[in-house]
Structures are given as structure tokens and as C-alpha cells.
Amino acid sequence: MVTDSWLAGMERALELAAEAAAAGDVPIGAVVLGADGAVVGEGFNVRERDGDPTGHAEIVALRSAAARIGEWRLTGCTLVVTLEPCTMCAGATVLSRVDRLVFGAYDDKAGAVGSLWDVVRDRRLNHRPEVVGGVLAEQSTALLEAFFTGQREA
């Protein structure tokens, strides 16, 4: 069941993804919602802008939320991201203790939430967030396809 706050969060994440694309980075956006559904952190890919291999949207959003909350444990929060997280971001999701992960498009090439690996559901880990995939996936996919088409034509 997709909630209104998750949809609103995904719509904001899509806006952030468009900002990443405008800055020349892969269009991925992420927001962290507090228990009340309000945005407590957000981010988009900044790898190219910052020259930072860890500058993924999820990492930026999780850092932003932790700074705002004043705690690294994001219990009660939901991470909403436009693309299925990679292994680094799936690991950060687990380590941040968010209650759930909501994502848009699946990533068959690098997804670590069921597509290629399933880090967040690994029973050996001490925390396993709820996962909801495919939320507004078409919009996320369209942003990614337009970006990579533009990259190939450039």
C-alpha cells in the first residue's frame, strides 16, 4: 500500500533528480520522510559536481536527515529514492536504521534491493527495513532514459 506521503516524497525526489540532470549528473533524487511524513532530509546525485564517488542521492539525503535530526539512527523514517539503491546505498539504508525504503525504478545492472543483490533483506544483518518498489517508476525511468540518450548524443 502506497501512502500519500510516499507519493509526495517521490514527487519531490523526482524534482531533485531533474536538478541532478541539469547539473550534469545521473538524475537520481532522494528524500527522507520523518514519522509524520514531513521531509527531514533530501539530496540528489552530486558525484560529478563534487568529484565524490559517495555522492549518491541516498547518501546525501541520509546525511541531511541525520544532521537535521541530530542523530545517525533514523528510526521511524522512510527513505524515498527514484532508483533502486546500489550496494553502497543499500548498506547505508540498513546502517541508518530507517524503517522503510520506497523506490521508483528497478536497476537491473546495479540494484541491491532485489534486482542484482538483496542487501536490505539479508537475514544476517541486524536491521531489515520494509521495502516498497516501483512507486512512480515510469517517471523515474523516463528521466534516466532522457538523460542517457542525451549523453550518447553529446
Side-chain angles (χ1 to χ4, degrees):
M1 178 180 113
V2 177
T3 70
D4 288 342
S5 66
W6 299 350
L7 286 173
M10 187 61 76
E11 288 168 354
R12 177 62 184 144
L14 287 163
E15 292 171 1
L16 292 164
E19 288 185 43
D25 215 321
V26 177
I28 301 171
V31 299
V32 177
L33 304 173
D36 62 356
V39 174
V40 295
E42 60 182 32
F44 55 84
N45 272 10
V46 294
R47 293 181 310 165
E48 297 298 332
R49 183 191 78 190
D50 295 356
D52 180 0
T54 67
H56 290 208
E58 301 94 327
I59 301 298
V60 175
L62 291 169
R63 286 178 179 157
S64 172
R68 182 165 180 193
I69 292 171
E71 169 71 48
W72 66 266
R73 290 177 193 87
L74 301 178
T75 305
C77 293
T78 299
L79 174 61
V80 181
V81 61
T82 57
L83 183 66
E84 177 184 359
C86 68
T87 52
M88 174 181 70
C89 295
T93 299
V94 171
L95 294 173
S96 70
R97 308 295 197 272
V98 297
D99 283 5
R100 77 194 46 77
L101 166 65
V102 176
F103 68 89
Y106 286 84
D107 184 354
D108 294 334
K109 294 181 181 178
V113 185
S115 289
L116 193 56
W117 297 285
D118 202 350
V119 172
V120 298
R121 293 185 192 99
D122 191 319
R123 291 183 184 170
R124 296 169 292 184
L125 298 175
N126 63 342
H127 179 74
R128 289 180 301 283
E130 174 188 356
V131 175
V132 179
V135 177
L136 300 183
E138 298 80 18
Q139 291 90 325
S140 181
T141 299
L143 275 173
L144 290 161
E145 287 176 349
F147 176 80
F148 286 114
T149 296
Q151 293 292 303
R152 286 189 294 273
E153 292 172 355

